Amino acid sequence: MKRLRLLRRAAFMFLVLAVGLAALASCNKGGKAGVTGSADIKALMVARGLTEDDVTAALKTYTPTGKKDEFYLFASGGHGGNMIVIGVPSMRILKYIAVFTPEPWQGYGFDQETRDIIDAGSPPGHPLGWGDMHHPAFSETNADYDGQFIFANDKANARLAVIDLRDFACKQIVQSGLIQNDHGGTFVTPNTEYVIETSQMAAPLGGTYAPLSEYNEKYRGAQIYWKFDRVKGRLIKEESWAIELPPYMQDLADAGKGASDGWSFCNSVNTERAIGDLQGGKPALESGASQNDMDFMHVINWRKAEQVVAAGKTKTIAGLRVISIETAVAEGILALVPEPKSPHGVDIAPNGTDIVVSGKLDTHATVYDFNKIKSLMESKTYAGTDPYGIPILPFRDAIRGQVELGLGPLHTQFDDKGFCYTSIFLESKVAKWSLADLTLLDKTSVHYNIGHLSAAEGDALHPKGQYLIAMNKWAIDRFNGVGPLLPQNFQLLDISGDKMKVLYDMPLPLGEPHYAQMISADKIKTIEMYSPVGMNPVTMQPDPNATTTEEKARIERKADGVHVYMTLVRSHLNPDIIEVKKGDRVHIHATSLEQALDATHGFCIDMYNVNLSIEPGKVCNVSFTADRAGVFPYYCTEFCSALHLEMAGYLLVKPD
Ligand code: RUQ
Ligand code: CUA
């Protein structure tokens, strides 16, 4: 089997090389290599059943060893709770970044630092063991990705995470206490002033109780503006605020840019305010929420809302300053615009004025004109108000036009040439259309059930074009079977020409990715190690428990237990024998003395669930109670050197 696979791989590499040579030879007429090459290629193509299109696609994605990718794709890992980093166009997985879910290889959720991160976003005393990551968003400078941070939301528990792109590690998780879950996150304002998070299921704000019979009066949505401190790399709750919204099911949002900078837009479904209740003989939520022909986009002037907050016109709920609907209406910072049936996705075009919304139960993409919306708000030209007194702008006067795309349009991305790409869920297609003339130009089949799509920097001020990823749910027949739980399928499309072309299928077998953002690789500047020795990876500051030279390695008995100041360097741990008494609290402070890129160590203690990843220069702290007597070997878990197996020691727990 293995030999067959190797042979096949060798054959394919040869094919690719040969096609390359053939291409060269045909430019350089008279070259003999092309003739032989093309005969061999033909034979290989026949043997493997490949068409010319297949070979062309292979040539566009195949990335030989040592060659790097042009783009990074950061995809949410759905209920895997992690973020998946993929190179484009090779589609090679580069890293799973542990975020909402503990992950042993990275030691995430095992050392004190990362446990604290997870705990901070969990209900007190109830650490959450998973999350449902939905929408990643890069930090931005002047509305373009800057490659410094990426944020993501956990829809299930209304948490937000901050990931530092210097070391591809999660540094912070927050939960507001205001809302119960959040589909509409994360969206970043053009200079990362705020990270926007919006509730999905309405509930009494602040996590209190009210019966569903009081849904219309007591249940509310909210949009939270999390203040981001770029220097600290942290979301600051004390400087954040929220705006109360009606109990519609708020959906995705987007922050304005260019002309619409200072504004945000959030669609909603269930303006019917249905609550389900099948047991009570009422229609299911899905049908109750799909009665109206129009739902509402929420238009928010956040720049003005900021001033309302500064003027103290807020109430405090769960420690967060909240602008009430009443105040928002009185201050003219909130309006609604009708949106065709069950909208999904609201995407601001690079021009800053076109706002693209798709209706899941409508065949069009509707393009709103920000300037029209703004002047309707300024002139107070309303078509009415909703039950909460929020002005509704007239639909026809707010739009620039519509384009018919197909059944179930969802999300739109943009390229560098003025084209839009919209996912068409029910048809399993991507539609390419012209923003200027609102005309459909091309449609290509993807496989299948496409949700989001992601073009290179495709929602920034300056999209890059070239590639697009179709994020398809459930790869039913694309790959070898793995049982009933199907992987997802990311398809790479070439969008550089007039017609889109599918180049590559990539199974994604961990969680259900929702959205991804793609960034030019040259914007990502990673560190190679934590430097100088003794850095705390979360604070990126020297750790107070660091042991910066091996001479300082020691064991100290203190009032709160046994402290082990350990160093790791190829290929030994010091101390390599730890003796404690049964019942002792043990605190390990492990410091890597390495300052080379290829020198990661790990540390585990058998049967005590202790597991750390200690990259060069890093400090990890972990505490446990030695509640079982016996002899417990410990060792380094990374294959770090020829004598890696000998990088080990003993924990001796003496019986009473
Ligand atoms: S949503 S498939 Cu969860 Cu991002 Cu549109
Ligand atoms: Cu250090 Cu293996």
Side-chain angles (χ1 to χ4, degrees), residues 476-497:
I476 47 167
D477 63 1
R478 295 292 99 168
F479 309 110
N480 295 12
V482 291
L485 183 58
L486 299 167
Q488 322 295 319
N489 184 10
F490 278 14
Q491 284 184 309
L492 172 68
L493 275 74
D494 178 357
I495 56 166
S496 58

Side-chain angles (χ1 to χ4, degrees), residues 9 19 45 79 180 240 244 264 302 330 382 408-409 480 501 584 628 646:
R9 191 172 303 161
V19 174
M45 284 169 67
H79 35 302
Q180 302 305 108
S240 307
E244 180 191 23
S264 71
W302 65 257
Y382 304 146
N480 295 12
K501 275 249 175 280
D584 273 341
R628 278 156 291 136
E646 291 85 340

Side-chain angles (χ1 to χ4, degrees), residues 232-274:
K232 293 197 183 102
R234 295 294 185 273
L235 298 165
I236 313 287
K237 186 175 176 185
E238 297 68 40
E239 294 174 37
S240 307
W241 47 272
I243 180 161
E244 180 191 23
L245 299 175
Y248 310 144
M249 194 183 278
Q250 276 77 29
D251 197 52
L252 302 195
D254 201 1
K257 48 180 166 274
S260 56
D261 186 7
W263 296 70
S264 71
F265 309 88
C266 174
N267 52 9
S268 64
V269 296
N270 196 21
T271 47
E272 297 84 352
R273 293 178 287 170

Side-chain angles (χ1 to χ4, degrees), residues 153-182:
N153 66 312
D154 163 17
K155 167 176 152 152
N157 307 295
R159 293 184 291 173
L160 294 195
V162 179
I163 293 150
D164 192 326
L165 293 177
R166 284 175 296 177
D167 58 352
F168 282 44
C170 177
K171 304 289 159 141
Q172 185 189 26
I173 296 178
V174 294
Q175 215 283 359
S176 65
L178 188 71
I179 58 177
Q180 302 305 108
N181 73 351
D182 69 1

Side-chain angles (χ1 to χ4, degrees), residues 459-473:
D459 60 6
L461 188 63
H462 297 96
K464 297 275 192 275
Q466 207 168 338
Y467 297 114
L468 180 135
I469 310 290
M471 302 176 71
N472 310 315
K473 324 275 185 203

